[in-house]
Amino acid sequence: FVTSFVTQGTKGTGRTSLPMSKFMSSTSVAVATFSSVAAIAGVLWWRSAKNAHVQHRALLGVRVVCISDTHGCEAGLTLPDGDILIHAGDFTHFGKETDARRFNDWLGTLPHKIKVVVNGNHENNADWKKNTPKILSNAIFLRQEPATVTVPTSGGDKSVHLFGTEFFWPCKGRNPYYDQIPEGTDIIVAHGPAKGLVDGGSGCSALLARVRELQPRAVISGHVHRAHGVISSQGVIFVNAAICGEGTYRVGHEAVVIDL
């Protein structure tokens, strides 16, 4: 089975969802984990999510720390340890290059050995956009491309297959760029969330359709600040890792940690 601590979501078939206010304060770290049912410090509650897709999937033993929408406020963050750090876009405030360079400097101070970043809408039209891979020298920057990383675990080295999308606004029809996400992808990183899953009512149905076809382990997004949280649906963990609070460009949430 899969157990998940769910901070926000919508109840429905194949999903587990619990209100954030019952389980975490603004300074807590949300955790979703493929492991045994547990309680942490008597505060975090866990619920079993029965799903056949997950029951037959080998566990990787990899911890992923998820953040997004820092908007130049990253200096005030304290992040938990993990094997992979993922930033799902909007690392600047309205596409300022100075924010991007400061963000890269901050990344260089973090202990996470693998750092993955994608564009958000704030970076999408920046005049320095083509230079982003050079500016973010302390991360693996993905723009509509895959990456495979090797993570040492107690069970040996594990390969994790990621795909980072370009930023796209939600669309109702099929998005051909999502068709470029290959079979066997473990983690999809897309700034905008999938429809109906930690999306605040503003997610993309085209992304959701592709996720249902591929069944990755996790989809990491942000963009909709008020929808921060994590939910398990049909064997996939969906994360909204927005750090800034609703309607602000100030830190309002903590990182989300998932164990795959």
Side-chain angles (χ1 to χ4, degrees), residues 151-174:
V151 179
T153 73
S154 58
D157 290 352
K158 297 296 177 67
S159 294
V160 181
H161 307 288
L162 305 101
F163 190 96
T165 73
E166 178 61 285
F167 172 73
F168 303 107
W169 292 105
C171 61
K172 295 181 179 179
R174 194 157 189 101

Side-chain angles (χ1 to χ4, degrees), residues 99-109 135-139:
D99 287 348
R101 295 188 179 279
R102 187 168 57 245
F103 172 68
N104 183 61
D105 291 341
W106 175 74
L107 288 176
T109 69
I135 293 173
L136 298 187
S137 59
N138 290 317

Side-chain angles (χ1 to χ4, degrees), residues 44-237:
L44 305 186
W45 292 8
W46 300 77
R47 174 179 291 184
S48 173
K50 298 176 182 178
N51 193 294
H53 291 290
V54 179
Q55 290 175 5
H56 304 293
R57 181 179 288 176
L59 306 183
L60 294 176
V62 173
R63 172 158 288 188
V64 184
V65 179
C66 310
I67 58 175
S68 184
D69 298 84
T70 48
H71 292 292
C73 298
E74 64 280 341
L77 292 178
T78 300
L79 299 182
D81 292 335
D83 300 302
I84 304 173
L85 172 67
I86 292 179
H87 193 295
D90 275 7
F91 47 89
T92 69
H93 187 217
F94 296 113
K96 297 173 184 174
E97 185 174 350
T98 53
D99 287 348
R101 295 188 179 279
R102 187 168 57 245
F103 172 68
N104 183 61
D105 291 341
W106 175 74
L107 288 176
T109 69
L110 300 178
H112 309 80
K113 294 183 179 180
I114 301 170
K115 308 175 184 81
V116 178
V117 180
V118 301
N119 270 337
N121 55 297
H122 279 239
E123 294 81 47
N124 196 43
N125 295 317
D127 55 9
W128 46 267
K129 178 180 175 180
K130 64 181 181 180
N131 295 322
T132 306
K134 293 181 179 180
I135 293 173
L136 298 187
S137 59
N138 290 317
I140 300 170
F141 177 71
L142 298 178
R143 181 190 292 137
Q144 205 56 31
E145 58 190 309
T148 297
V149 299
T150 301
V151 179
T153 73
S154 58
D157 290 352
K158 297 296 177 67
S159 294
V160 181
H161 307 288
L162 305 101
F163 190 96
T165 73
E166 178 61 285
F167 172 73
F168 303 107
W169 292 105
C171 61
K172 295 181 179 179
R174 194 157 189 101
N175 184 334
Y177 291 101
Y178 291 147
D179 290 338
Q180 296 175 8
I181 306 173
E183 296 279 350
T185 297
D186 294 305
I187 302 173
I188 296 173
V189 188
H191 181 61
K195 184 175 179 62
L197 296 153
V198 286
D199 71 331
S202 303
C204 179
S205 57
L207 176 59
L208 178 62
R210 187 59 175 153
V211 170
R212 293 304 188 212
E213 292 172 352
L214 296 173
Q215 286 293 295
R217 295 174 185 270
V219 179
I220 315 301
S221 301
H223 187 54
V224 186
H225 297 186
R226 68 183 180 276
H228 175 272
V230 54
I231 188 169
S232 175
S233 174
Q234 297 185 25
V236 180
I237 291 181

